[in-house]
Amino acid sequence: MSDSAHPDELGAFLKARRAEVDPRAVGLPDTGRRRVNGLRREEVAVLASISTDYYTRLEQGRIQASAQVLDTLARVLCMDDDQRSYMFQVAGRLSTRPPRRTPQKVQPRLLRLLDDLNTIPAIVLGRRMDILAWNPLAAALVTDFGDIPEKRRNYVRLVFTDPRMRELYADWESVAHTCVAQLRMEAARDPENTRLTALVGELSVQDADFRRWWAAHHVAIRGIGTKTLRHPVVGDLTLDWDTLASTTDTEQQLVIWTAERGTPSHDALRILASWAGGSLAPRATRAADDGGGDRSG
């Protein structure tokens, strides 16, 4: 260990910090049956994507953490800048906070395209499969994305945490498994993105299926496919989905749902488009600073 490290103090500091974290603040359910204040060791470990044994030994002062692990723990334990700096100091590590990435803004051309897609549901996905923009028909088909808090407007989170998505997709398990594989590919492209790490930790704690599928390390690239939806207004639809990448920002992709002309699903989409016709123009997420990594958006 470094001569400047104080492992016992680090362990005590981490223990004190996790006792202060409200589980609801990091996306954990409030069960009302906790024997200790704050987070349990195993919960911190899952949220930080490390083993419980590793975190336990860290609290016990038996090992030295890397700067990357410390940075993740600072996020998981909701530390402010002073607490984070102190943790790095007692750990004998230099702080290596990565620069913030350029805010990701929806490409204007994609917004104009959304505006013209009156009979085709479409959304724009960004980093981590965040939902950046959508047209009225996509909101009518899937859900009103505008009702979802901006920081939680992520397609994978929606699939796993919104009960309506389990009702909407006839084969929810296949859809959810594909989402996890696509998110794993996102992680490979940007392994130091702290917001992606936080998302994986949150969903791993909340959902056993996500935890199991994430551990399987299956990967997939967003491309094309077919989904059957059980819509509460127009009934069952079988739709083809396609992913179109933006040439001006390869981290933004337009996802559209279509049906073959003359099919019941095509007719149902037309009915749904008429039903959603009074909606506002396409809506977009306000650009916000991104976490982790050093690539521009």
Side-chain angles (χ1 to χ4, degrees):
M1 291 189 179
S2 169
D3 291 340
S4 61
H6 303 279
D8 292 337
E9 173 58 25
L10 174 62
F13 181 72
L14 291 174
K15 185 176 181 180
R17 294 288 72 74
R18 71 177 169 89
E20 294 179 344
V21 177
D22 183 347
R24 293 170 297 182
V26 291
L28 298 180
D30 183 10
T31 61
R33 298 190 299 273
R34 290 181 173 268
R35 296 181 180 178
V36 297
N37 293 328
L39 302 179
R40 304 182 185 97
R41 282 175 173 171
E42 56 268 27
E43 290 171 335
V44 175
V46 170
L47 290 169
S49 299
I50 57 179
S51 71
T52 302
D53 178 66
Y54 180 94
Y55 180 74
T56 299
R57 287 186 290 155
L58 191 59
E59 270 200 7
Q60 293 173 344
R62 294 162 53 195
I63 58 172
Q64 187 175 19
S66 67
Q68 183 177 355
V69 168
L70 292 174
D71 194 61
T72 300
L73 289 174
R75 172 189 51 76
V76 169
L77 297 176
C78 304
M79 295 184 192
D80 59 29
D81 288 343
D82 291 342
Q83 291 170 335
R84 184 180 183 279
S85 296
Y86 178 79
M87 178 182 63
F88 271 84
Q89 182 175 340
V90 296
R93 294 288 187 183
L94 294 175
S95 178
T96 56
R97 184 191 294 272
R100 286 192 178 274
R101 300 174 68 175
T102 304
Q104 191 173 29
K105 299 180 180 179
V106 182
Q107 294 295 315
R109 292 175 179 82
L110 289 181
L111 280 178
R112 289 199 296 269
L113 181 58
L114 284 178
D115 194 22
D116 286 337
L117 294 177
N118 298 319
T119 61
I120 296 178
I123 62 175
V124 177
L125 295 181
R127 303 171 189 138
R128 302 170 302 272
M129 299 175 70
D130 287 345
I131 301 165
L132 301 181
W134 60 95
N135 66 3
L137 187 50
L141 177 68
V142 182
T143 190
D144 189 349
F145 302 107
D147 287 342
I148 303 169
E150 182 181 320
K151 291 184 178 180
R152 301 188 63 79
R153 204 174 288 154
N154 174 277
Y155 204 82
V156 184
R157 179 186 281 116
L158 192 62
V159 166
F160 278 92
T161 63
D162 191 331
R164 293 171 297 183
M165 299 296 278
R166 296 176 185 263
E167 294 295 326
L168 179 65
Y169 287 117
D171 189 0
W172 176 88
E173 184 170 324
S174 176
V175 171
H177 189 276
T178 299
C179 281
V180 175
Q182 292 170 342
L183 191 66
R184 173 64 77 173
M185 184 65 77
E186 292 285 326
R189 295 191 186 101
D190 195 3
E192 295 184 3
N193 189 294
T194 56
R195 289 182 61 185
L196 191 150
T197 301
L199 175 64
V200 170
E202 172 193 335
L203 296 179
S204 295
V205 170
Q206 292 186 3
D207 194 281
D209 286 331
F210 181 93
R211 185 164 58 248
R212 183 175 72 256
W213 294 333
W214 184 261
H217 288 262
H218 295 152
V219 295
I221 298 175
R222 291 197 294 272
I224 61 174
T226 301
K227 294 177 181 177
T228 299
L229 290 77
R230 298 176 295 205
H231 196 273
V233 175
V234 295
D236 292 352
L237 305 92
T238 298
L239 302 177
D240 297 323
W241 61 271
D242 293 84
T243 304
L244 310 175
S246 169
T247 57
T248 51
D249 182 353
T250 57
E251 292 184 320
Q252 293 189 34
Q253 296 178 319
L254 179 72
V255 180
I256 60 174
W257 290 270
T258 60
E260 186 176 351
R261 187 177 296 275
T263 63
S265 293
H266 183 266
D267 294 339
L269 267 187
R270 293 280 179 163
I271 294 171
L272 190 61
S274 176
W275 179 75
S279 300
L280 299 175
R283 298 175 65 183
T285 296
R286 176 178 54 83
D289 285 345
D290 211 340
D294 56 4
R295 292 178 299 161
S296 60

